Amino acid sequence: MQAEAKSGSFKTERVDDGVVLKPLGDWTASAGEPLARQVDRADLRDAQGKTLVIDLSDLGRLDTVGAVLIRRLVEQAEAAGAKARLQGASAQHERLLDALDGRGQEPAPTGPKESAIFATLADFGAGVVSLKDDVVLGVSFLGAVTMASLRLLRAPWRFRFTSTVANLQRVGLAATPIVALISFLVGAIVAQQSIFQLKNFGATLFVVDLLGILVLRELGVLLTAIMVAGRSGSAFTAEIGSMKMREEIDALKTMGLDPIEILAMPRLVALVIAMPLLSFLASMSALLGGGLVAWLYGDITPITFLQRLKDALTFQTFMVGIVKAPFMAVVIGLIACTEGAKVQGSAESLGARTTSSVVKSIFVVIVLDGVFAMLFASMGI
């Protein structure tokens, strides 16, 4: 039993304890179809109950197609009742055949399956460890920003004014329409719902007090922080993450430049300047929307609305809200920059870190607002 010995063929020889099959020539994709027909026609009945040795010592080039056909010979021999084994394979051929053996196989279970309770506890523990790592990284980054600020105070000509102005335009001016629109709509909705409930008690006029205090103390700055986190924070993370993927940050370090000064400081300063201004704009827009609804839905004239607003509000009410804006800006900037620095070399990592930046920023901003609320309450403000 012998096939013609040419490139991409094989021959078989009978020995005392079985059969030796020797692939010859190049077993590659170019000869795949003729080889497949030869392999399918191979008669291995003589090896039944014996050993079929596939001797690869005379094999030329081998690619994935050829490796699949060799494995098919092994399977045919085992199906015919023979014990098949390979010998004489070069190191390169052996690596390819070993890699082919592992295709599509699931890793074997290493122990009993964990229960849902233990899996939940494990996920919770992993989350706690991740939270600790985030806090450590955030504090380290804050320290680096503080040191960079001190260096810039000693050498203010190193501060990147052009980059800061460009970021201020993106964070502040470009965000003005969406911040004003959303705040206007939220103010109108709050006023409408408040009037709807207060009518039952004949206290419709108190909607002005409720709207003014709520917007100036909490709603204006909180809405602005959430929108800035979703709009600008995610952009900062994506920008820094893309630079990390393209090794541009490593290039800055190689040139002796500080990435904190070049990338983080202009963005943080722009956020700290823009947040109070946007918060003021959001508060005025929300009051405008609430005043319009109060006029059309609650029969409260603009003059009455403004007079009541003047009596209900003080400068302290305004400052309680606006003083939180710079702190929220710093938190959003720090989280955005640290998440960008954690991006690895894949687009999936960039997307995950951008999402994480927005979620963490909104969560921390809300927690920070609650901390300020308790602080001002304890101070009687």
Side-chain angles (χ1 to χ4, degrees):
M1 179 174 58
Q2 178 173 342
E4 184 182 356
K6 62 178 183 178
S7 177
S9 62
F10 63 88
K11 67 178 181 178
T12 56
E13 299 176 355
R14 296 186 183 88
V15 294
D16 293 338
D17 57 347
V19 177
V20 176
L21 187 149
K22 300 189 69 172
L24 304 173
D26 297 335
W27 283 47
T28 59
S30 59
E33 190 171 337
L35 271 174
R37 288 196 294 267
Q38 292 183 46
V39 169
D40 291 338
R41 291 197 303 265
D43 186 3
L44 303 177
R45 288 175 295 180
D46 292 343
Q48 184 176 7
K50 300 179 181 179
T51 300
L52 173 69
V53 178
I54 300 179
D55 185 2
L56 304 178
S57 56
D58 294 334
L59 181 63
R61 292 188 299 122
L62 178 70
D63 63 7
T64 306
V65 173
V68 169
L69 293 176
I70 289 175
R71 288 303 176 194
R72 187 185 298 179
L73 283 172
V74 172
E75 293 171 358
Q76 290 179 199
E78 292 176 348
K83 182 180 179 181
R85 62 182 176 88
L86 303 177
Q87 74 175 25
S90 66
Q92 183 179 3
H93 294 166
E94 190 172 355
R95 284 195 299 269
L96 178 58
L97 291 167
D98 289 343
L100 193 66
D101 283 341
R103 71 190 190 280
Q105 295 180 0
E106 295 293 334
T110 57
K113 186 177 179 180
E114 292 184 351
S115 66
I117 296 177
F118 286 116
T120 303
L121 291 175
D123 291 341
F124 179 76
V128 172
V129 173
S130 176
L131 177 61
K132 183 265 294 181
D133 294 339
D134 289 341
V135 171
V136 171
L137 182 60
V139 172
S140 301
F141 193 83
L142 180 60
V145 169
T146 303
M147 295 303 297
S149 302
L150 294 176
R151 289 194 299 269
L152 291 174
L153 286 176
R154 292 197 302 266
W157 57 87
R158 295 172 54 181
F159 184 71
R160 299 174 65 85
F161 288 98
T162 303
S163 178
T164 302
V165 172
N167 282 288
L168 185 59
Q169 189 274 336
R170 290 193 307 149
V171 174
L173 186 61
T176 298
I178 187 64
V179 170
L181 176 60
I182 292 180
S183 300
F184 178 88
L185 295 175
V186 170
I189 293 170
V190 169
Q192 188 272 334
Q193 290 296 311
S194 301
I195 291 171
F196 181 75
Q197 298 298 328
L198 291 173
K199 273 184 178 180
N200 298 327
F201 306 97
T204 304
L205 191 59
F206 284 99
V207 70
V208 182
D209 304 60
L210 186 151
L211 182 67
I213 295 173
L214 177 63
V215 166
L216 290 183
R217 288 182 66 103
E218 302 290 341
L219 206 55
V221 66
L222 192 58
L223 278 175
T224 303
I226 291 173
M227 284 185 280
V228 168
R231 184 182 180 276
S232 302
S234 60
F236 290 170
T237 301
E239 290 165 2
I240 295 176
S242 297
M243 296 182 70
K244 178 81 178 295
M245 291 171 59
R246 295 195 295 264
E247 300 182 350
E248 295 178 22
I249 296 178
D250 294 333
L252 289 175
K253 295 178 181 178
T254 303
M255 292 186 291
L257 300 175
D258 185 4
I260 300 295
E261 291 184 13
I262 302 296
L263 302 176
M265 289 302 297
R267 289 170 169 81
L268 284 172
V269 172
L271 277 174
V272 170
I273 295 174
M275 270 290 294
L277 299 176
L278 289 174
S279 298
F280 176 78
L281 173 67
S283 299
M284 296 303 104
S285 299
L287 290 176
L288 177 61
L292 184 61
V293 169
W295 184 19
L296 299 176
Y297 186 72
D299 296 326
I300 301 175
T301 64
I303 295 177
T304 303
F305 184 89
L306 292 175
Q307 185 61 48
R308 184 73 184 183
L309 198 63
K310 179 182 177 183
D311 296 337
L313 302 180
T314 63
F315 183 70
Q316 178 178 286
T317 306
F318 170 75
M319 289 305 300
V320 165
I322 210 70
V323 77
K324 295 184 282 189
F327 295 95
M328 293 183 176
V330 171
V331 166
I332 293 170
L334 288 177
I335 293 176
C337 292
T338 52
E339 289 297 317
K342 289 160 65 176
V343 171
Q344 303 299 319
S346 66
E348 181 183 1
S349 175
L350 178 62
R353 290 303 165 192
T354 303
T355 302
S356 178
S357 171
V358 175
V359 173
K360 290 179 181 177
S361 296
I362 293 175
F363 173 77
V364 175
V365 159
I366 294 174
V367 171
L368 185 63
D369 185 71
V371 171
F372 271 107
M374 292 187 291
L375 176 63
F376 290 139
S378 64
M379 297 169 59
I381 301 176

